[in-house]
Amino acid sequence: MPTNAVNLTEKEYLLPGNRVCPGCALSLAYRHILKALEGQVIVTVPASCLTVLHGMYPVTSVSVPCVNTPFASTGASATGLVAGLKALGRENLPVLASAGDGGTHDIGIQALSGATERQGNFIYICYDNEGYMNTGNQRSGSTPLGAISGTTPILGKQQNPKDMTAIMEAHGIPYVAAANAAYPLDLYDKVRKARGIKGTRFMHVFTPCPPGWRFPFSDTIRIGELAVQTGWNILYEVENGDFRLTSASESIALKGHLRPVRDFLMEQGRFKNLTEAQIEELQERVNARWQHCLDRAAKQ
Ligand SMILES: Cc1ncc(C[n+]2csc(CCOP(=O)(O)OP(=O)(O)O)c2C)c(N)n1
Ligand code: SF4
């Protein structure tokens, strides 16, 4: 049975008080990730907003052990933790590697790809705020076309992002999922499922960032929901090759239609300089991706 607000565990592993911004979707997502793992996990994290959330030694806001690793080596760090646990006869303790989009799509991709190709037994969660946010919003391989960032200040980024979830699926791993912090129960259920599977499990979690995307701190959930309602972000999972839409994306596919992507874009200051041609290009990209997902879902 899917988790709901009544049967969700009340136990917390992310403790009150940390240094992320108000309205940070990463904080909400991470809270549910740790709940799903019941706090029984060793985490490895490179430099990012997640290290800020964890806190600086000897102060921490989480009740799980964490290894801070250099930027490029999160996949290698996860491999080492798995090997160490095996040597201690503690293979059953899950290893979670988690990094931002900069640490995953760009700087950590080779170590992650290598660790995945070796079929390392860990969960990797990329939280995606579509930029290098901890250092003031530089453009990353996940920043969308037209988005203003610290390194694309006027015209916005001139390229489309790479589809990291598809790249990870191409490694032939047993579980891949796309989730969104605005749908925490869907996220929670996906982490629970990932926990029960052996091998490399990859999850992409969409995490709106109020200061980086330039929307009010109070609108995080609404922006996350708009992303799904417009098809900008699609909720799905691929288990041993079987593709399935989940949660709100599944409902839209069954009995609804997508809202125009403009509804999502116009709420955010980072898109204020988009041209009409770019909005059209973004809409076409969303349409094509949504159709691809509908076709895959129909084949199952
Ligand atoms: C090798 C190296 N280069 C640069 C930095 C500076 N740095 C720290 S955090 C960060 C941004 C990380 O971006 P991302 O991985 O997207 O995570 P986010 O900050 O968005 O959570 C950068 C560039 C560093 N710590 N190490
Ligand atoms: S910059 Fe964005 S991702 Fe980082 S702590 Fe603030 S809201 Fe969260």
Side-chain angles (χ1 to χ4, degrees):
M1 191 178 76
T3 304
N4 57 45
V6 176
N7 62 24
L8 178 71
T9 173
E10 285 184 19
K11 193 128 180 30
E12 300 290 352
Y13 306 92
L14 176 54
L15 309 172
N18 63 58
R19 294 175 62 205
V20 296
C21 311
C24 177
L26 163 63
S27 186
L28 178 65
Y30 199 53
R31 177 177 169 219
H32 288 82
I33 290 165
L34 293 185
K35 274 176 180 276
L37 295 168
E38 297 177 53
Q40 295 301 304
V41 62
I42 297 185
V43 189
T44 179
V45 182
S48 59
C49 290
L50 186 52
T51 41
V52 174
L53 182 154
H54 267 254
M56 206 185 292
Y57 181 83
V59 176
T60 183
S61 64
V62 294
S63 59
V64 296
C66 174
V67 177
N68 282 120
T69 191
F71 228 146
S73 51
T74 315
S77 174
T79 303
L81 286 170
V82 171
L85 286 169
K86 187 170 179 209
L88 294 171
R90 299 200 57 196
E91 293 102 315
N92 289 338
L93 186 61
V95 170
L96 169 67
S98 188
D101 47 290
T104 304
H105 296 54
D106 302 335
I107 298 174
I109 192 169
Q110 70 86 13
L112 171 60
S113 180
T116 305
E117 184 270 333
R118 292 188 298 271
Q119 301 179 13
N121 186 28
F122 57 84
I123 302 173
Y124 189 105
I125 297 183
C126 168
Y127 65 91
D128 190 356
N129 50 29
E130 301 185 342
Y132 290 78
M133 293 309 179
N134 182 38
T135 39
N137 187 10
Q138 293 77 34
R139 141 265 203 250
S140 79
S142 180
T143 303
L145 176 78
I148 293 170
S149 71
T151 43
T152 56
I154 295 164
L155 294 177
K157 189 178 160 185
Q158 296 298 297
Q159 301 81 20
N160 280 303
K162 61 178 99 166
D163 186 343
M164 191 65 204
T165 318
I167 292 171
M168 290 307 293
E169 193 188 338
H171 285 72
I173 53 181
Y175 189 71
V176 171
N180 179 322
Y183 298 85
L185 298 177
D186 178 64
L187 166 63
Y188 176 89
D189 283 338
K190 284 170 175 164
V191 179
R192 300 276 301 180
K193 185 177 276 189
R195 189 177 75 154
I197 295 171
K198 284 227 167 338
T200 311
R201 293 136 283 168
F202 178 84
M203 290 181 58
H204 174 273
V205 184
F206 186 82
T207 50
C209 167
W213 298 9
R214 304 192 195 173
F215 64 81
F217 291 122
S218 54
D219 283 357
T220 301
I221 299 299
R222 205 168 62 77
I223 294 291
E225 288 175 346
L226 267 173
V228 171
Q229 290 161 2
T230 57
W232 180 272
N233 177 240
I234 301 173
L235 307 175
Y236 67 89
E237 62 184 4
V238 189
E239 204 178 341
N240 295 317
D242 289 341
F243 179 94
R244 192 171 81 82
L245 288 167
T246 67
S247 185
S249 293
E250 186 182 26
S251 308
I252 295 168
L254 286 175
K255 50 179 192 293
H257 58 270
L258 296 179
R259 291 173 62 168
V261 78
R262 186 186 294 272
D263 292 359
F264 170 74
L265 301 171
M266 291 300 109
E267 298 278 340
Q268 301 164 61
R270 65 175 170 157
F271 291 120
K272 74 175 177 12
N273 289 346
L274 276 182
T275 62
E276 278 304 312
Q278 283 176 319
I279 295 177
E280 214 169 289
E281 182 178 340
L282 289 167
Q283 182 67 66
E284 278 168 19
R285 190 176 155 89
V286 164
N287 292 349
R289 203 160 162 264
W290 178 240
Q291 191 55 50
H292 177 64
C293 287
L294 291 179
D295 292 346
R296 286 191 80 182
K299 279 197 196 124
Q300 300 298 324

